[in-house]
Each structure stands twice: as structure tokens, then as C-alpha cells.
Amino acid sequence: ETIDAGGRYLLPGGIDPHVHFRTPGLTHKEDWAHGSRAAAAGGVTTVIDMPNTQPPLIEPELAAEKASTVSGDSLVDFRFHMGVTVDSVENLRRLQPRQATSVKVFMTGHHTAPNIIRDPVVLDRIFQVAAERGIRLVLHAEDDSVFSLLDETQAPPTGYDAYESAHPRTGGIVASSRVIELVRKHGTAAHILHVSSSEESDLLKAAAKAGLPVTYEVTAHHLSFSAPDTQRLGARIRLRPAIRCEKDKGRLWDAVMEGSVASLGSDHAPHTVEEKLLAVADAPPGLPGVQELIIALYTGMRRRYPGMSTDEAMRHVARLTAEGPADLFGLGGRKGRIAVGLDADFTLFDPDVTWIMAAKHTYAKVGWSAYEGWTFTGRPDVTVRRGETIWDGRDPEQPRFGTASGIWLDAEPAVPGGFTAQRETSA
Ligand code: DOR
Ligand code: ZN
Ligand code: ZN
């Protein structure tokens, strides 16, 4: 098929290394048919799915089963993060590179993350085993101490200053410091997810500068929303980690643009409207976002840096949503860069179109977006995965999807010299 690119930018297919597609067990919130369509419409061709399903993915052998369950529904290619519980640490010894890019550790918790590792002895053991096996850890490192204080059950802030004083500014400082200490002790590669505060960002930057194998992620929603939005959007932007102040948002943008952030993620973690309508104290944290990831990043960049050329903005988008995650998670061989050939992954991005997002544009199963009413700049018009058109939105009245045939990707080493070196150790 020949596609007229007519003034659009050729971007490498996006890689979203942080989605919760909720299979098995939570498919009323999201499933692979809907999640992967949302991805395709947002220019994303590869996702890495989180393990906090019911049951959670903690048995390495079940990865293959999960892959065969979901691949027939998936428009995009995929890999998994393996989960770990206090009772399943020894499973990491059998984990093979094909089964997971990495292991997800929840250091703190909420409704949808039942397997929280609070015991410092267990945490130490996980870091030790991961280091021995060359496994990269990805961590939800939010401070328990601030958890209740951050809770939206408190009187809603009436303004920016009230929010600042009601919300302590440590975020994940304590948990991140623990991670850094464990990395120093064991040499484990650690990637901290959804960093939300300027303090954490500074701390992690310093650790990386000191030569520790520490990297971090920032989400599109922490770059898009800040305290004042919580009054308007309420439970829709009830998230873990919580949305923070304008100042934090600004510092996260600085970190993203200067190259300190290894990858952007959506943390696509949908909950139904009904669940979100519960009393705020019971509304589960999380929002859909895989479709909005690239668009919100680009829109934010245009607003924040009006003098930046389109070329430069596109280079940043490609780095943050394709090259960065491909390098980090060992997808570099076939993903993350524009490859010429029949198996290319790319999206044709119209950088000039402006449009207002409405619920009818969203493909996540829950059918809502925290970005409803936003004027977006830019949109993926056509998305191609391994040479097949999976999204064609050139006629906004009649967008078309391709056929679901996403594949479970083969592994490349997540950590050079580590994980793959163990490839032959067990059958
Ligand atoms: O807000 C969140 N929701 N943060 C997480 O870390 C997990 C997620 C979910 O699974 O709902
Ligand atoms: Zn998390
Ligand atoms: Zn998450």
C-alpha cells in the first residue's frame, strides 16, 4: 500500500512501556481489543503491560499463556512486566528474558495493586536476586508516610496555596532513597515509574550522575495536569502518585527536555465511570492515557516552548516515546527507530491540526478521558505496525482500524550482559 504522507511527519511507532490492559480478571475496566485500539489511534505500536491483574502475573510460565490469550485481540505488539509478591521472589530465578522485560515492584499500594512489598528484608532480597540475574526492576516508589495525607478525602483544596500546604512535598523521596541505597548495595538496574515531584526528580538525577544504574519515567498526566485541575476533574485525576503542583510540573518538563528522563509512559490504568463516581475516598486511582500519550506530550511542548521548531519538537517526541523506551527495555533491534522495510513501525503525525478532544474520540473501554475538552495540537493520522496499517484516521468521520495480529516480541537483553547471559540456564 502506498500512503501519501502529504506534509506529515514520520515518527517511529510509539512504545508505551507502562499500560494496564487489565487481562485477566479486570476486563470490565479495560481489555486488549480496546486498549490496543486506543494505542494505535495514539500512534503507539508496542506496549509493555503491567502485572497487577487478577490473578497477578507472578509465575514466569504463565507469560506464554497470557500472550496467547491476548494476541488475537491485540492490534499492537507487546511484552510484559512480571510481578513479584512476598511469596514469589524465588520465581525470579527462573524468569527468562522472553517472558518479561523487567520485574514490577509495588513498594506502596492501592486498590488495584494488592501485592505490596513493604518488608525491607524481602525488598533487599528482590534487589539481590534481580542483580544476580541481570533483571531490571521497575518500581512504584511512593511514600506510605504521605499516603493518607495526600488522600483526597481531605477537604478539597480551595486554591493553589491551600493545595501546596495540604499536600506534603516529599512524594516518593523516602521510597526513592531506599531504592537508591539498594542499588548502591546490590548494583541492580532500577527504573522508577511515574516520578511526580521535583525533589524525586533531582534525587534520581543525582544518583544517575553518580554512576548508579538508576533511570526514571515521567507520565503524560504529570506533565499535563496540576493542582488547580483537581477541583475541576476530581476523581478523574485521582492518581497514584497524585497530581502535584504547577512547580513540580514545570520541573518535570525541565527534566524531560534536558534528557534526564529515560522514557515517557502513559500509566494507562482505566477505571469505569461508575467506579470513579464512588465517594472520592473509594474511587480507585488511575486514568486511561495510551491514546493521549504522544498527543499530550506534543501539545504540551508546543504550549510550553512556543519558539521551538516543529522539527525539534518531533525529535523530542521520537526520543521520549520510541528510542528511549526501546533502549531501556531491549526492544532496539526492531522497534524504536524508523526502519526502512516491510516490517516498519511508524505513525504519520500531522503537527499542525488542532482539535478538541471529546469522549467520542476515545477508544479505551471505559469511554472517558481526563483530556475531554482539551484543544490538542497534532494527531497521528495513520499508524503502521510491522508494515500493516492499524489505524487510519485521515477521515475523522470514518476512522478505520486494521486487523488484530499483534505479536509477543522476542527478547533482547534488558540489561547488557545480564539477563540474556542466563538465557540457556533452564529449559
Ligand atoms: O493510579 C494508579 N493506578 N497508579 C498505579 O500505580 C496503578 C494504577 C492501577 O492499576 O489502577
Ligand atoms: Zn504505579
Ligand atoms: Zn501503573
Side-chain angles (χ1 to χ4, degrees):
E1 196 196 352
T2 315
I3 301 165
D4 176 8
R8 299 177 187 90
Y9 272 76
L10 187 63
L11 274 180
I15 298 171
D16 188 343
H18 190 160
V19 304
H20 301 256
F21 279 179
R22 308 290 199 204
T23 303
L26 298 168
T27 51
H28 65 288
K29 295 175 191 282
E30 186 57 295
D31 58 31
W32 282 74
H34 290 87
S36 71
R37 274 163 186 72
V44 168
T45 53
T46 306
V47 297
I48 312 180
D49 187 51
M50 285 294 173
N52 60 325
T53 48
Q54 279 174 14
L57 183 65
I58 54 172
E59 299 290 335
E61 294 72 24
L62 293 184
E65 194 181 311
K66 174 166 171 171
S68 65
T69 307
V70 305
S71 68
D73 290 333
S74 188
L75 269 181
V76 299
D77 293 341
F78 57 89
R79 296 212 61 198
F80 304 134
H81 300 282
M82 187 65 48
V84 63
T85 67
V86 286
D87 302 314
S88 74
V89 181
E90 289 308 307
N91 290 359
L92 304 187
R93 298 206 174 275
R94 323 194 290 274
L95 184 62
Q96 296 299 306
R98 179 172 172 80
Q99 293 160 333
T101 52
S102 33
V103 169
K104 168 79 181 269
V105 181
F106 284 95
M107 292 172 71
T108 44
H110 43 75
H111 304 55
T112 33
N115 304 302
I116 303 143
I117 312 284
R118 293 182 201 280
D119 183 340
V121 176
V122 178
L123 200 61
D124 187 274
R125 182 107 185 104
I126 291 172
F127 274 74
Q128 187 197 337
V129 176
E132 284 169 19
R133 297 289 327 281
I135 294 169
R136 185 184 305 281
L137 298 179
V138 299
L139 300 112
H140 186 121
E142 194 180 353
D143 295 346
D144 266 335
S145 55
V146 298
F147 222 70
S148 56
L149 290 170
L150 276 169
D151 209 295
E152 296 81 351
T153 52
Q154 300 212 332
T158 48
Y160 188 77
D161 293 340
Y163 188 93
E164 281 255 14
S165 54
H167 292 65
R169 300 193 40 77
T170 61
I173 274 282
V174 178
S176 295
S177 305
R178 276 175 83 190
V179 170
I180 290 168
E181 281 322 302
L182 288 164
V183 168
R184 211 190 299 279
K185 180 171 169 195
H186 296 292
T188 325
H191 181 62
I192 303 207
L193 302 165
H194 42 45
V195 166
S196 66
S197 71
S198 52
E199 287 86 350
E200 278 163 273
S201 168
D202 291 347
L203 185 73
L204 296 168
K205 256 192 265 184
K209 211 166 166 201
L212 296 175
V214 172
T215 52
Y216 65 103
E217 170 195 81
V218 167
T219 68
H221 50 254
H222 287 110
L223 294 174
S224 300
F225 301 104
S226 61
D229 297 309
T230 59
Q231 288 174 61
R232 188 171 54 87
L233 291 165
R236 286 191 176 212
I237 55 168
R238 182 175 203 220
L239 304 161
R240 291 288 177 254
I243 290 298
R244 298 191 165 273
C245 304
E246 196 56 32
K247 177 191 156 212
D248 293 289
K249 192 175 113 184
R251 293 290 287 278
L252 293 180
W253 269 111
D254 293 344
V256 162
M257 300 308 281
E258 78 191 18
S260 306
V261 174
S263 71
L264 224 76
S266 71
D267 199 357
H268 179 89
H271 300 283
T272 63
V273 173
E274 292 73 26
E275 290 166 331
K276 283 293 198 181
L277 284 176
L278 295 170
V280 170
D282 298 318
L287 49 61
V290 66
Q291 186 177 343
E292 297 91 336
L293 171 69
I294 291 174
I295 304 165
L297 173 67
Y298 180 74
T299 298
M301 230 179 256
R302 304 268 53 171
R303 284 191 197 166
R304 234 179 149 79
Y305 311 97
M308 183 186 286
S309 71
T310 305
D311 279 14
E312 197 184 346
M314 285 293 144
R315 271 198 295 277
H316 282 293
V317 171
R319 172 175 64 79
L320 289 158
T321 65
E323 293 159 23
D327 291 346
L328 191 64
F329 292 108
L331 300 164
R334 55 213 300 185
K335 300 285 183 187
R337 286 165 179 84
I338 303 280
V340 180
L342 291 175
D343 64 349
D345 275 27
F346 60 85
T347 189
L348 293 179
F349 192 85
D350 180 342
D352 299 318
V353 63
T354 56
W355 57 292
I356 297 174
M357 186 173 220
K360 68 170 186 204
H361 298 118
T362 67
Y363 296 103
K365 189 170 186 179
V366 293
W368 63 270
S369 169
Y371 295 89
E372 282 165 38
W374 270 50
T375 302
F376 276 135
T377 304
R379 185 172 52 203
D381 270 348
V382 177
T383 303
V384 172
R385 185 262 298 120
R386 278 182 290 104
E388 265 182 68
T389 300
I390 54 170
W391 159 252
D392 186 340
R394 282 174 292 180
D395 176 358
E397 299 307 313
Q398 279 189 326
R400 287 185 294 122
F401 288 105
T403 13
S405 58
I407 56 169
W408 192 30
L409 296 170
D410 283 318
E412 293 196 27
V415 181
F419 210 179
T420 302
Q422 309 277 338
R423 200 189 265 269
E424 315 302 338
T425 55
S426 66

